[in-house]
Amino acid sequence: MAFPHRPDAPELPDFSMLKRLARDQLIYLLEQLPGKKDLFIEPDLMSPLDRIANVSILKQHEVDKLYKVENKPVLSSNEQLCFLVRPRIKNMRYIANLVNADKLAGRTRKYKVIFSPQKFYACEMVLEEEGIYGDVSCDEWAFSLLPLDVDLLSMELPEFFRDYFLEGDQRWINTVAQALHLLSTLYGPFPNSYGIGRCARMSYELWRKLEEEEESETKSRRPEIGHIFLLDRDMDFVTALCSQVVYEGLVDDTFRIKCGSVDFGPEVTSSDKSLKVLLNAEDKVFSEIRNEHFSNVFGFLSQKARNLQAQYDRRRGMDIKQMKNFVSQELKGLKQEHRLLSLHIGACESIMKKKTKQDFQELIKTEHALLEGFNIRESTSYIEEHIDRQVSPIESLRLMCLLSITENGLIPKDYRSLKTQYLQSYGPEHLLTFSNLRRAGLLTEQAPGDTLTAVESKVSKLVTDKAVGKITDAFSSLAKRSNFRAISKKLNLIPRVDGEYDLKVPRDMAYVFSGAYVPLSCRIIEQVLERRSWQGLEEVVRLLNCSECSFTDMTKEDRASSESLRLILVVFLGGCTFSEISALRFLGREKGYRFIFLTTAVTNSARLMEAMSEVKA
């Protein structure tokens, strides 16, 4: 049922060191303002900060009161104010208003601004414009790696996706390079590097520069992680747009997992209170079901409940001594397991209720048809009905994007019709969102004469001629073509199955989408690791419009142990989904690898659409 790791699976590095480093650095920065101080924290940083240094640690270092950075007037009477913020212009204006209000009132206080993960020149410029640059001291808290689990590190930068893939803003690339540099300093160099995507290439090159500047430090270390793979989110939008059906993905889609924990409301906890639950490998019940297809989870939980009951029942025939042992050694563990079990059963019931209400089966059927390229007219009608019934603006957008990417753009008639219906149904304020989706290549219109087959035949004619291939590359990247069908054929993303696909005993990574589709991002990683290079995948790379942006860098590494060569760090730039994590965990078990994930943030289809939307929910 739950997949155990192979007995020969390599050990994972201990990432708790990253937490300790971040905590020590924050404490060092707070102590530079000796004495009592009030701390203003940006809402985005509250959850990550809580995982690093809780309130009692802050209090030990003379933080008196905590405030949220928001648009309310501030009533702090402290003589020292410290601001812990992301490097954003609006935060600078907030601080400037506060400092200038103090000046008007004739108050003198000490102000310190701590930027996390780094400060940007633009922020200092705003402080200067506002005339307070000399009144505040600025520092950086280079906290960019939060271990959410034993194999998952997050930079907690959800804005990375919009900033880079929509605005073309490259400022976070330095943050990624610094994070990779920190990892190689702590865990030794990475002997083999692979990557695909423009952002991956830039991050990799900048990181290499940092390594060269401090060559001596990491060179002498033994590598703990044998491979690193960098991947841009826009290499594979399809996977991120699909509904998730593995348990952890469904919990994220339904309740939103934020910074590794989830708020279960009264409908899950069967009480009148909400409960914040940390979801990671330490939760013994969760760790056994997180990667499972949802259809298996109920059966597993009810079996677990029966086993638990049997363990409780053992106490009936015990004598005093056995009972004493039972109470001191086992009871606490059983109670904890019982609590977790009832929570996850509650979560499953809540998910079932919501999904039945949404007619989830019909939705999944439409998604599978889009992935396979069947019944496109029927799927289009389903999307139109979805829009007309005003089910949800975000969901309707997601389905339109999925239709567009799998069909290599919508035919002009469909594009205009869907867009008009959408704006009439959900309101004209969504007009700018369509412009964003078009720019990012998520929802596009085919140029006349560019039906799928025409494009495919053009591409296949040109594939033979390398030079012409280069030119088409340049043009197709301008048009942000998706070529999903051709890639899907080439990489066999739609498994051909005789009879039913057995979700209890998965045979490949497609189980994370009910056996209908192997995530493209995971297939690319699998193929490159098998070949140890991009050789033989040239056509796929060309179809991804990435001939200039795929790279391999192998160093002759004699010091790498065979254990470390089975550890692979996968870096998702622009976010990764829990479905992809589950799929790669499955691949690791099959092939004897262990994957470690580093992502700019954990994402899902709704977060992706919200990042592109100009209408704030």
Side-chain angles (χ1 to χ4, degrees):
M1 184 60 221
F3 311 124
H5 274 292
R6 291 161 59 134
D8 62 341
E11 278 297 298
L12 290 167
D14 173 19
F15 291 120
S16 58
M17 201 189 317
L18 293 167
K19 277 188 182 176
R20 287 199 300 276
L21 266 175
R23 186 183 309 133
D24 293 351
Q25 198 193 351
L26 181 64
I27 289 167
Y28 171 75
L29 291 172
L30 289 173
E31 286 185 340
Q32 287 185 351
L33 211 55
K36 274 200 179 323
K37 51 200 154 284
D38 282 353
L39 182 61
F40 291 75
I41 307 170
E42 177 153 4
D44 282 8
L45 279 166
M46 284 192 156
S47 299
L49 178 67
D50 198 37
R51 299 284 300 259
I52 295 295
N54 54 23
V55 176
S56 59
I57 291 177
L58 297 175
K59 296 274 183 209
Q60 283 166 25
H61 297 278
E62 299 188 275
V63 170
D64 188 17
K65 291 194 181 73
L66 293 168
Y67 295 93
K68 230 186 207 173
V69 170
E70 51 192 356
N71 295 330
K72 287 185 188 152
V74 182
L75 305 164
S76 163
S77 55
N78 217 308
E79 287 312 298
Q80 303 197 97
L81 306 184
C82 189
F83 302 89
L84 181 58
V85 291
R86 290 260 185 249
R88 294 177 182 147
I89 302 288
K90 68 174 199 313
N91 292 335
M92 299 306 101
R93 303 253 185 251
Y94 171 89
I95 295 167
N97 291 340
L98 216 145
V99 176
N100 285 326
D102 278 356
K103 280 185 181 173
L104 275 174
R107 274 194 86 159
T108 46
R109 311 199 234 199
K110 272 190 172 168
Y111 312 96
K112 182 177 189 65
V113 184
I114 300 173
F115 293 101
S116 172
Q118 62 179 96
K119 66 176 174 213
F120 291 134
Y121 176 63
C123 293
E124 295 182 298
M125 284 293 291
V126 173
L127 294 176
E128 204 172 326
E129 271 170 28
E130 296 279 352
I132 62 157
Y133 189 62
D135 304 291
V136 300
S137 61
C138 295
D139 254 311
E140 279 183 346
W141 181 34
F143 163 52
S144 58
L145 289 170
L146 175 66
L148 293 181
D149 211 337
V150 288
D151 59 353
L152 174 60
L153 306 172
S154 171
M155 296 179 71
E156 289 301 309
L157 284 177
E159 65 259 51
F160 184 102
F161 177 70
R162 184 184 165 107
D163 284 355
Y164 181 80
F165 293 100
L166 178 64
E167 315 283 358
D169 185 339
Q170 298 173 8
R171 59 188 180 160
W172 296 115
I173 289 176
N174 181 33
T175 317
V176 174
Q178 295 284 358
L180 294 175
H181 182 51
L182 176 62
L183 284 176
S184 64
T185 309
L186 295 176
Y187 304 103
F190 304 107
N192 306 306
S193 313
Y194 320 92
I196 185 161
R198 217 161 241 116
C199 185
R201 175 132 222 165
M202 286 193 281
S203 308
Y204 177 77
E205 284 169 0
L206 187 55
W207 165 48
R208 275 281 170 253
K209 275 204 181 81
L210 293 174
E211 299 280 293
E212 280 159 22
E213 283 165 20
E214 300 172 32
E215 197 61 281
S216 53
E217 279 183 44
T218 48
K219 259 291 179 271
S220 52
R221 298 269 326 247
R222 274 194 75 153
E224 282 183 50
I225 302 167
H227 309 267
I228 179 171
F229 199 117
L230 292 94
L231 185 100
D232 280 15
R233 182 70 273 170
D234 68 349
M235 290 300 100
D236 174 18
F237 280 139
V238 172
T239 302
L241 288 171
C242 290
S243 297
Q244 305 194 71
V245 285
V246 288
Y247 181 64
E248 192 167 10
L250 257 172
V251 170
D252 189 35
D253 279 357
T254 315
F255 306 101
R256 290 267 168 131
I257 297 173
K258 190 178 173 207
C259 209
S261 60
V262 65
D263 280 318
F264 282 141
E267 76 281 8
V268 175
T269 57
S270 322
S271 66
D272 49 2
K273 287 199 292 286
S274 288
L275 190 62
K276 193 175 186 178
V277 183
L278 208 57
L279 296 178
N280 58 24
E282 282 166 25
D283 175 338
K284 290 292 169 265
V285 177
F286 177 69
S287 68
E288 291 191 69
I289 54 175
R290 65 192 311 176
N291 302 312
E292 286 291 336
H293 189 276
F294 189 64
S295 60
N296 302 335
V297 173
F298 256 135
F300 176 81
L301 291 175
S302 54
Q303 181 58 51
K304 196 99 176 139
R306 284 195 291 275
N307 297 351
L308 198 64
Q309 191 57 52
Q311 282 176 287
Y312 270 130
D313 291 346
R314 279 192 9 248
R315 64 187 178 200
R316 292 226 170 101
M318 288 181 181
D319 58 27
I320 298 278
K321 189 172 177 212
Q322 289 169 318
M323 188 57 118
K324 190 177 167 192
N325 279 346
F326 176 76
V327 171
S328 64
Q329 287 162 19
E330 289 179 49
L331 192 61
K332 192 177 170 201
L334 290 177
K335 279 192 163 158
Q336 167 76 342
E337 198 170 327
H338 183 195
R339 189 182 71 85
L340 292 170
L341 202 55
S342 61
L343 269 177
H344 290 296
I345 290 173
C348 282
E349 285 170 342
S350 179
I351 289 170
M352 286 291 280
K353 269 192 203 127
K354 284 187 176 130
K355 295 303 175 194
T356 316
K357 203 169 133 199
Q358 289 172 359
D359 200 359
F360 197 51
Q361 281 331 96
E362 198 56 34
L363 181 71
I364 293 287
K365 212 172 92 188
T366 304
E367 285 184 24
H368 290 179
L370 290 174
L371 292 167
E372 290 168 31
F374 291 141
N375 304 344
I376 295 305
R377 290 269 43 104
E378 277 173 42
S379 302
T380 309
S381 313
Y382 176 85
I383 296 171
E384 286 175 334
E385 191 188 323
H386 200 273
I387 293 169
D388 296 340
R389 289 196 358 249
Q390 297 182 325
V391 180
S392 131
I394 288 292
E395 274 287 280
S396 296
L397 265 188
R398 170 179 84 81
L399 289 168
M400 287 159 68
C401 290
L402 199 54
L403 173 66
S404 166
I405 291 181
T406 51
E407 285 299 292
N408 215 354
L410 300 175
I411 52 178
K413 184 167 82 65
D414 282 355
Y415 180 81
R416 282 196 295 274
S417 150
L418 283 167
K419 182 174 171 183
T420 306
Q421 288 179 62
Y422 188 93
L423 295 173
Q424 284 172 348
S425 195
Y426 295 117
E429 63 275 17
H430 290 273
L431 194 57
L432 286 171
T433 304
F434 279 87
S435 155
N436 290 348
L437 292 168
R438 194 178 194 143
R439 271 205 346 249
L442 277 158
L443 183 54
T444 56
E445 191 179 354
Q446 288 175 9
D450 256 4
T451 54
L452 195 61
T453 44
V455 170
E456 273 189 289
S457 60
K458 268 189 225 164
V459 169
S460 57
K461 273 195 203 107
L462 295 170
V463 162
T464 47
D465 186 342
K466 282 261 167 78
V468 186
K470 279 243 163 71
I471 299 165
T472 42
D473 247 12
F475 282 117
S476 55
S477 62
L478 284 176
K480 285 252 169 100
R481 279 267 162 266
S482 72
N483 303 327
F484 176 73
R485 289 268 172 273
I487 293 166
S488 174
K489 256 194 214 108
K490 201 93 202 120
L491 289 175
N492 195 15
L493 299 182
I494 312 292
R496 291 279 158 256
V497 181
D498 310 323
E500 279 288 290
Y501 187 100
D502 186 358
L503 291 165
K504 279 197 167 57
V505 190
R507 63 176 83 177
D508 56 19
M509 293 187 283
Y511 91 92
V512 300
F513 293 117
S514 311
Y517 160 70
V518 177
L520 167 58
S521 51
C522 305
R523 179 69 99 206
I524 291 173
I525 291 165
E526 175 197 39
Q527 292 293 315
V528 172
L529 287 174
E530 240 169 60
R531 296 172 161 79
R532 291 287 178 98
S533 79
W534 292 95
Q535 251 175 341
L537 294 170
E538 292 84 358
E539 195 176 334
V540 173
V541 170
R542 182 174 290 118
L543 288 166
L544 287 165
N545 307 321
C546 253
S547 296
E548 302 298 312
C549 320
S550 60
F551 58 88
T552 314
D553 189 359
M554 325 280 272
T555 51
K556 182 156 175 23
E557 187 50 78
D558 308 322
R559 291 197 311 282
S561 63
S562 62
E563 170 117 337
S564 73
L565 288 171
R566 288 184 299 138
L567 270 181
I568 299 141
L569 173 68
V570 182
V571 184
F572 283 93
L573 300 165
C576 87
T577 64
F578 284 118
S579 297
E580 289 165 308
I581 292 175
S582 292
L584 288 172
R585 280 179 183 145
F586 173 83
L587 180 70
R589 279 188 298 272
E590 292 290 289
K591 308 263 189 197
Y593 298 136
R594 280 299 281 278
F595 284 97
I596 300 161
F597 306 92
L598 164 57
T599 176
T600 47
V602 175
T603 193
N604 60 15
S605 56
R607 289 191 189 98
L608 222 57
M609 293 292 95
E610 283 160 15
M612 288 289 157
S613 175
E614 287 299 323
V615 181
K616 293 295 159 249

